[in-house]
Amino acid sequence: MLLKSAISSGEQSAYAERVKKLAYKIYGKTPLACVVTFGCQQNVSDSERLKGELSEMGYGLTDDINEAQFIIFNTCAVREHAEDRVYGNVGVTKALKKQNPNIIVAVCGCMAQRQSVADKIKRSYPYVDMVLGTQVQHRLPEFIYKRLSGSKRVFDLTLDNGEIPEDIPVKRDGTFKGWLPVMYGCNNFCTYCIVPYVRGRERSREPNKITAEAEEMIAAGYKDITLLGQNVNSYGKGEAHGVNFAGLLRRINALDGDFVIRFMTSHPKDCTKELIDTIRDCGKVSSHLHLPFQSGSDRILKLMNRHYDRKRYMEIVNYAKEKIPNLSLTSDIIVGFPGETYEDFQQTLSLIKEVEYTSLFTFIFSPRVGTPAAKMDDPIPYEEKSKWFSELLKVQEEIAAKRCESMVSKTYRVLVESAKPNGELTSRTEENIIVEFEGSEDLIGTFQNVEVTKARNWILKGKLV
Ligand code: SAH
Ligand code: SF4
Ligand code: F3S
């Protein structure tokens, strides 16, 4: 289903109409589009908007790059590995374009936003028709129209931090679980991170636009809505409407319907007691807090420019644990930040043990050109960092296993998500923990009560109650 947010500026819709006619004429059939997405949920959400626009332009959608007339790579720049993968994928389109020169190839997203990447594509990938930065992607109909009508390759990296476009159709990948962006960009400039450079300044959507989109999702049957932003805790800062993130959660919680509200990411420096109290008080808000601490060492946190120390982090964690009894905590961690010693790393391990996270997203530091950390002295070899990394994973596995063990014999309300090839269903508790159980596929997309019967390492098995 194609949902469209409340206000339509009309301009891009007019281009979409023109593309529809022109593309049909050029291809002699309904053209197909393939959107290939890399990176985080923010990109997944952006891709759903690209797909919405493509549908409005009359394109059918396909996952098979070989049958598409329009191919777009929505890219990520957060670590080097992510960038390497993109170049490999883009290279594949060369042969496709040789067979059919009318195919249009586009690269957009965080990596495309980097001038050096755009220059490299201009120079060495002549078969790429357009490179679009993160703040112009909503103008896709206009860009496709221009290219289809014979204009030169498009390179638009405008990053003016202007108003958030609100007229974009959305074609979500899922039918009962969906992303809902509440803000874009980041102002934090953690010294290792490329995101503020490629996404621009923090900008929050109007609360009314967000609740309107949430209402549309609920009416369309969505049961699990995740609010997205790089730092949702600073939602609304400096905006005239005066609604902060806790206020936004309360508004969405007050909407009619049976659904779960999740959100990510929370930055510890802006995570307030008001937010914790709101999670506790709002029945529909999940008892899950993704609160990345990155490093357990105060010295490293300072070098990372994170604006909190371990003491402040633990204060908020302990407050949250006290107020929300079934709280599930997760975090992102960087191992091997420049100058990190084994002693610093031990601090990270001790924090993990102290907090007892449900799960962790762990990364080895990857230098990103243009960030301060890339210029810092980094004497520890990668192989050594990899050893620390494995040590961390081992510690976390034990913690997760213990946590899962403690859930055995208890009953949880879960949202059933999918069926596995062996016939079992996978489901997720409100705390974001996966439970597998036997049941009919009709249950997918519904809430059920499941008793946890067994914890095998960190996988939970259960039975329908
Ligand atoms: N805004 C979110 C995270 C965005 S990026 C936050 O502040 O928590 C997701 C994660 O990627 C980060 O939390 C960090 O752990 C990791 N990351 C970012 N830059 C990195 C780099 N240069 N090397 C390794 N990991 C990185
Ligand atoms: Fe990157 Fe830090 Fe912003 Fe997160 S808060 S996106 S880690 S700069
Ligand atoms: Fe996300 Fe990667 Fe961009 S993590 S914000 S897609 S750099």
Side-chain angles (χ1 to χ4, degrees):
M1 183 192 328
L2 203 61
L3 298 176
K4 191 155 180 162
S5 34
I7 294 178
S8 172
S9 75
E11 193 189 0
Q12 292 305 319
S13 292
Y15 274 115
E17 277 308 309
R18 291 158 85 180
V19 169
K20 205 182 225 170
K21 291 197 188 96
L22 188 55
Y24 195 84
K25 211 161 111 194
I26 291 174
Y27 300 113
K29 59 177 179 188
T30 300
L32 293 175
C34 179
V35 181
V36 185
T37 309
F38 302 86
C40 68
Q41 291 81 359
Q42 195 81 61
N43 261 19
V44 174
S45 165
D46 287 349
S47 285
E48 292 179 337
R49 283 161 202 257
L50 293 171
K51 287 177 199 169
E53 290 186 303
L54 286 160
S55 302
E56 200 178 33
M57 287 181 257
Y59 282 80
L61 295 171
T62 173
D63 290 331
D64 182 359
I65 201 170
N66 297 300
E67 59 175 18
Q69 283 72 46
F70 178 75
I71 302 162
I72 186 162
F73 298 95
N74 191 5
T75 62
C76 171
V78 83
R79 281 169 292 275
E80 199 174 345
H81 173 68
E83 293 204 352
D84 293 343
R85 279 175 60 210
V86 169
Y87 284 121
N89 275 269
V90 173
V92 170
T93 62
K94 184 177 181 181
L96 297 175
K97 272 205 89 154
K98 224 179 205 153
Q99 282 168 19
N100 181 1
N102 282 334
I103 289 176
I104 297 182
V105 178
V107 182
C108 70
C110 296
M111 181 180 160
Q113 185 66 56
R114 308 180 74 179
Q115 190 64 52
S116 58
V117 172
D119 290 345
K120 180 169 171 177
I121 293 177
K122 197 177 233 171
R123 240 183 7 251
S124 313
Y125 295 78
Y127 47 90
V128 172
D129 297 271
M130 49 181 91
V131 177
L132 309 179
T134 55
Q135 293 187 5
V136 296
Q137 288 171 197
H138 62 285
R139 287 167 55 202
L140 190 63
E142 174 188 342
F143 296 132
I144 294 188
Y145 179 73
K146 288 185 174 155
R147 189 62 178 151
L148 279 179
S149 39
S151 81
K152 20 184 238 273
R153 300 164 81 196
V154 181
F155 290 84
D156 196 327
L157 304 189
T158 309
L159 199 71
D160 57 9
N161 307 308
E163 252 177 62
I164 296 176
E166 283 292 351
D167 55 347
I168 312 170
V170 189
K171 197 156 172 53
R172 291 196 159 81
D173 296 337
T175 52
F176 55 89
K177 264 181 85 147
W179 311 110
L180 175 49
V182 302
M183 59 192 296
Y184 295 93
C186 181
N187 288 351
N188 290 321
F189 291 95
C190 302
T191 52
Y192 50 82
C193 185
I194 197 74
V195 172
Y197 304 90
V198 292
R199 286 269 175 184
R201 296 294 61 73
E202 241 169 51
R203 297 166 302 148
S204 299
R205 292 179 75 189
E206 288 283 323
N208 297 342
K209 298 280 166 26
I210 298 168
T211 45
E213 194 171 334
E215 277 175 325
E216 282 178 344
M217 291 174 77
I218 298 158
Y222 284 86
K223 299 269 186 289
D224 186 313
I225 298 175
T226 303
L227 311 182
L228 283 183
Q230 291 301 344
N231 176 14
V232 290
N233 301 144
S234 58
Y235 174 81
K237 255 188 199 167
E239 303 282 348
H241 56 67
V243 178
N244 65 8
F245 188 61
L248 183 69
L249 280 178
R250 283 194 293 270
R251 285 183 184 211
I252 301 175
N253 186 68
L255 300 176
D256 284 336
D258 188 13
F259 58 95
V260 176
I261 307 164
R262 306 182 188 280
F263 56 91
M264 65 191 305
T265 295
S266 288
H267 194 302
K269 82 177 161 66
D270 299 309
C271 187
T272 58
K273 290 187 173 167
E274 185 198 5
L275 177 69
I276 307 292
D277 295 344
T278 306
I279 300 173
R280 179 200 54 196
D281 297 340
C282 291
K284 292 169 189 157
V285 177
S286 140
S287 311
H288 168 215
L289 192 57
H290 181 59
L291 196 63
F293 70 89
Q294 311 294 358
S295 167
S297 153
D298 283 346
R299 194 178 73 81
I300 297 298
L301 286 172
K302 207 166 203 133
L303 288 173
M304 287 177 163
N305 193 34
R306 289 289 287 180
H307 293 284
Y308 55 85
D309 57 12
R310 187 181 174 127
K311 185 162 164 277
R312 147 89 191 143
Y313 183 83
M314 284 311 300
E315 264 167 28
I316 198 79
V317 162
N318 288 331
Y319 183 81
K321 280 185 171 176
E322 186 196 318
K323 298 286 166 187
I324 310 167
N326 59 336
L327 179 72
S328 160
L329 281 156
T330 55
S331 176
D332 295 350
I333 293 171
I334 296 179
V335 173
F337 184 84
E340 181 173 329
T341 61
Y342 189 63
E343 285 68 41
D344 291 313
F345 170 67
Q346 288 299 318
Q347 296 281 311
T348 296
L349 283 190
S350 80
L351 188 78
I352 293 171
K353 289 179 190 159
E354 192 174 346
V355 176
E356 301 197 315
Y357 294 93
T358 311
S359 58
L360 293 174
F361 300 89
T362 44
F363 311 101
I364 294 182
F365 170 74
S366 170
R368 308 281 60 219
V369 174
T371 63
K375 294 194 214 94
M376 294 177 188
D377 204 21
D378 190 8
I380 306 286
Y382 190 85
E383 295 67 41
E384 182 66 16
K385 293 182 183 183
S386 298
K387 280 190 206 149
W388 301 359
F389 189 78
S390 308
E391 193 177 340
L392 189 154
L393 294 188
K394 209 160 150 262
V395 169
Q396 177 56 25
E397 273 176 21
E398 281 166 23
I399 294 169
K402 196 173 116 196
R403 194 195 150 99
C404 286
E405 203 57 63
S406 76
M407 292 175 71
V408 175
S409 306
K410 292 186 190 140
T411 297
Y412 294 86
R413 185 169 185 258
V414 297
L415 179 62
V416 186
E417 291 193 341
S418 56
K420 300 205 313 178
N422 70 359
E424 274 184 297
L425 300 174
T426 56
S427 68
R428 204 174 283 267
T429 69
E430 186 210 310
E431 300 88 348
N432 215 14
I433 297 167
I434 293 172
V435 186
E436 298 173 346
F437 65 97
E438 300 255 338
S440 137
E441 286 195 19
D442 309 344
L443 299 181
I444 294 173
T446 65
F447 288 108
Q448 299 294 330
N449 289 317
V450 168
E451 185 192 324
V452 176
T453 50
K454 208 165 50 182
R456 220 186 41 220
N457 297 325
W458 55 97
I459 296 171
L460 293 175
K461 300 278 177 189
K463 62 167 195 265
L464 264 178
V465 176

